[in-house]
Each structure stands twice: as C-alpha cells, then as structure tokens.
Amino acid sequence: MTTFADVTAVSTMAPFAFTVDISPRWTIAGHPNGGYLLAMVGRAVAELSTQPHVLAASAHFLRSPEPGPAQIHVEPLRTGRTTSQLRGRLLVDDTPCVEALFTMGTIAPTPGPAWQDSLPDPAMTDPAVAIRLGPVTPAGQPAAIMAEAEVRLDPDCHRAFAGSPSGRGEIRGWLALPGGASFDPVSLLYAVDAFPAATFDIATTGWVPTLELTAYLRALPAPGPLRVVNKARLVDGPWVDQACHVWDSTGRLVAQATQLAGVRLP
Amino acid sequence: MTTFADVTAVSTMAPFAFTVDISPRWTIAGHPNGGYLLAMVGRAVAELSTQPHVLAASAHFLRSPEPGPAQIHVEPLRTGRTTSQLRGRLLVDDTPCVEALFTMGTIAPTPGPAWQDSLPDPAMTDPAVAIRLGPVTPAGQPAAIMAEAEVRLDPDCHRAFAGSPSGRGEIRGWLALPGGASFDPVSLLYAVDAFPAATFDIATTGWVPTLELTAYLRALPAPGPLRVVNKARLVDGPWVDQACHVWDSTGRLVAQATQLAGVRLP
C-alpha cells in the first residue's frame, strides 16, 4: 500500500526548494487532483513555517502538470508571533503549475465552536451503505485516484453517476485515505477537493477544471473517515462556484472551502 | 468630492510597479479597509493583464499599512487565451502588506445564471428606510470610511450597533460609492469587504482583522447601489469565517466572497 504521506513526500533540494514526485495514481483522466497538489505544496510550506498548521490556503491553478518529478519553491513573506504567511509554488521544468498563498498558525484543541450558523446538514447514510466510486468516470475516463482514496457517496447522490442527476447540485458522502490513515491539516487540503464536481448532480459534463481553491482549516480532525458535502451554488457564463464542507468522525466541522471552476452545462 | 477612482488611482513607476496613495479617509480606527487595498492591487493587476476582468482574487493580509504612499508590484504568472494569472503585492517602504493572486478573464454579459442554488435572500428594506452608518464605530473609534462610502443597514441589523446584536451573525444592507458612481469589477473587490464584521451581530468586540479574503466576480454590475449580506458561519478558537454575497440593483448576484478573520468573543 502507498500511503498519502508517501505520495506527498517532499525532499529538500535547496534552502527554500523541494523535489516531489506527482503520483500517476492520484489523477483523473491523467490530471493530478488539485487538492492533492495543494497538499504537497502545503507540506513543503509547513516544513519552513514557524507555525505548524495551515489556517488558510488560496491556490490558483495555472496548468495541469504531468505526473512525475516536480519542484516546490517556498518564500516566507512574514513571520509573526501567532500567524505567518508563506508563498508556495509547484513547478514542472521551471514552468509554474500551482501558485498558492498560506497563512499559518496553531490550531489549538477547543471543546467545540464558540458560535455557529446553520450549516449544511452533515447527516448522511451510514458509510457501510454508501457507494464507493470506482476508477472510471461516468464519461468513461480513467479515475485512478478512486483506487487510492476511498470516496463513498450517499446512494441518492450516486444516481448522478448513473445518468440521473437530482438537479440539487450536491454531492455528499464519506472520504478515507489509503489504509484508513488519520487526516491532518495537510491531508485536509486534499479532502476539500477530493469529491467529484457538484455540477455532476446538475448535468453530466466534461472536465470541470478548478481555477481557484480557497480552504480554511478550523479544527484538528479526529481519526476516522470524513463527511464531505460539495455543493454548487451559481453557474453563470462558463463558471461555477462550489462550497465544500468537511466534518470529522465526531461531527466537528474541520474544513471549509470554495472553488471557482470552469463548466459547460449542456 | 473624491471618487473611488481617485482614491484607487495607480501610477506606473516601472514596467511592473506602480505607486499609489492610500487614503486616510478609507480607514477604520486608522486601518485602511482591506477590500479598498485589494481593489487598488486589482486595478494595478488589470493594467498589465491581457484579460480585462478579475474572475477570482485571493488576498492574504500581512500587515495593516499606514495611509500614505505605497507601491504595488505585479508579476504575470501565466498568460492564456481565456484566463491569465497574475500576482500583486502592496508594499510600504519595501515591506509587504498585502499579497494577492488573481485569475483574470472576460465576464461576458449573459441573460442570467444558467443554474443557481438557494442563496441567502437578498430581499431587504428599501434603502430609504435603511440606516446609514456614521463615521464612528460602536466602540467609539473613528470610521472615516463611512463618510466616503455609503453603508446603509437594514434597521434590524442596525440594532447590533446599538448594543443589541440579534445573535444571527448577519449584517445586511445597501452600499453606494461616493457620488453614486457605478460599480465595476475593481470596486466590487472593495464591496465584498465594505460591511462591518458580521460578528458584531453576535457580540460587540474589538477589531476583527482579516487574515484572508477570496472574492469571485460573477457578473458585471448594473448601475446603482449594491445589496450586501455579510454572514458569519463558524467561530472556533480565535477565528471566524464570513461569507459575503453581493447583488446589483437588478437583483443579480455579482460577487461572492469568504474571509477568515481573527475575533475574540467575550
């Protein structure tokens, strides 16, 4: 078994530069998953940060890199007492593919949220009856990543993958890493982009390429699978925004993200 | 009258560098508004972009600059046919204060959204009965910006400013630029951060400093005031996230934003 830690390993190459190896197995139709790439960059950034945890990460996706060797360059921007900011970029052969900004801090354990709004309901089918996605997309393209991460959809969301989208624009279910490894702030950066595009629950379309992804990490996740709700909000022109909420196995909201992506509804 | 275009004017200093003058009037308790700073950076970025409009902007706030002269440095990251990415940073005396990434494109007019989720209800009191915020905060600090931009709150949200927060964590109302100038994609970057922190509708606290702000611009705004709803979602530890939705005078959703900020609830 190849763990998530294995496929996001970073090796120091120079004081602010790392080499990484983008796995061909963490891809859909040959494209590395964006959250997987962001997690790699986040891991390199955490190596050079005086604070241990990502609080906020914002990534712009310039090009989809080929799997294989790549470099990550990190530039500290400001080092503070409670928060610090760093820039991370992933390059292949000196061509930038992912540009990201990070605010780092320390996520201390708290008994629970001090206040919360009504959030999307994380109540979901038991993971045992949720349906695991296989390594082929509804459009028949290879989704090698689905043989690595375990994405299990609520049965009524899974209908979107059998050609019957509900029109709600919502994909929800459970997520586990290879071997059931515990999530941490780095792998949460993958979690917020691990689910299929919520637009597949509106219409079957081609690739939905992410332009921008912003993640906020709100608590350290307890061991166990995550509950994920990915929701489309507005399709206007050729773009859609999606909001992703992630709860840990105790029901605590541990990450929130939004992304802007390209989409062509039929 | 000093217009928004005046206070965000950028002057070319070198091929990829601009000088700007941060207005002491667009401040709260002496701190320049974050959205105002981001709009300046966005304006400089648009000068060097082959595409005219900001689609997505992600800003990390490193330090609050003093009003006065500053520089903006722009670095094109990728130039594409339909989208391009650029980095913008605002510095005072070579010290970076705001770091931001932009994905640029062309927002073409469309008859309306192709699909939309249930979004926060923009139904609001008539602007004539909404209550304009004055140039003093509830805590008695100067809010010079409120004499420039026109922020009018729904009467029931305004109670938060008289020491009676509703507990909903929502501030909604109307926004107009000086002289009623029309909004454009640059000033929308200000609009998404123009309203008071939604946490003031939970409890009266001190300054709520923004760590990260991401804005998605979804349509070109029609002339007239904007409707703005700023909503807190989760306070956990010393951080809160807020979601801001902005509609134009025709009721069209033109911008969405999230921010992560520091807060200390009593």
Side-chain angles (χ1 to χ4, degrees), chain A residues 55-63 75 77-79 82-83 85 87 89 96 99-103 105-108 110 112-119 167-169 202 211-214 216-219 231-243 245 252-253 256-260 265, chain B residues 55-63 75 77-79 82-83 85 87 89 96 99-103 105-108 110 112-119 167-169 202 211-214 216-219 231-243 245 252-253 256-260 265:
Chain A
L55 300 180
S58 332
H60 290 238
F61 294 89
L62 281 56
R63 297 174 184 84
E75 184 180 339
L77 300 169
R78 175 186 153 271
T79 302
T82 58
T83 60
Q85 292 82 13
R87 175 193 298 144
R89 61 192 329 198
E99 286 275 339
L101 295 169
F102 293 80
T103 293
T106 302
I107 302 176
T110 66
W115 181 89
Q116 63 184 315
D117 183 25
S118 52
L119 291 161
R168 281 191 316 248
I202 302 171
L211 297 175
E212 200 273 353
L213 171 66
T214 291
Y216 300 150
L217 306 190
R218 309 306 304 274
K231 185 88 189 74
R233 297 192 301 181
L234 179 74
V235 183
D236 199 342
W239 296 294
V240 60
D241 72 297
Q242 302 180 60
H245 288 80
R252 182 145 186 188
L253 187 71
Q256 302 157 294
T258 58
Q259 62 172 274
L260 188 70
L265 291 187
Chain B
L55 300 180
S58 332
H60 290 238
F61 294 89
L62 281 57
R63 295 174 185 86
E75 186 180 336
L77 300 169
R78 175 186 152 270
T79 301
T82 58
T83 61
Q85 290 83 11
R87 175 193 296 144
R89 60 191 331 199
E99 286 274 339
L101 294 170
F102 293 81
T103 292
T106 301
I107 303 175
T110 66
W115 181 89
Q116 64 185 314
D117 183 24
S118 53
L119 290 162
R168 282 191 317 246
I202 302 171
L211 297 175
E212 199 273 351
L213 171 66
T214 291
Y216 299 150
L217 307 190
R218 309 306 304 275
K231 186 87 189 72
R233 297 192 303 182
L234 180 74
V235 183
D236 200 341
W239 298 293
V240 61
D241 72 296
Q242 302 180 61
H245 288 81
R252 181 144 188 189
L253 187 71
Q256 302 158 294
T258 59
Q259 63 172 274
L260 188 70
L265 292 186

Side-chain angles (χ1 to χ4, degrees), chain A residues 135-143:
Chain A
V136 179
T137 71
Q141 293 189 292

Side-chain angles (χ1 to χ4, degrees), chain A residues 136-191:
Chain A
V136 179
T137 71
Q141 293 189 292
I145 196 170
M146 296 304 172
E148 306 297 319
E150 204 177 302
V151 173
R152 290 184 181 272
L153 300 191
D154 262 22
D156 69 329
C157 293
H158 190 268
R159 281 187 216 118
F161 291 80
S164 299
S166 77
R168 281 191 316 248
E170 181 177 294
I171 304 279
R172 63 184 186 280
W174 299 83
L175 176 69
L177 292 175
S182 292
F183 282 90
D184 63 15
V186 164
S187 49
L188 283 180
L189 294 175
Y190 159 65

Side-chain angles (χ1 to χ4, degrees), chain A residues 246-264:
Chain A
V246 177
W247 293 262
D248 72 7
S249 58
T250 71
R252 182 145 186 188
L253 187 71
V254 292
Q256 302 157 294
T258 58
Q259 62 172 274
L260 188 70
V263 71
R264 298 277 176 186

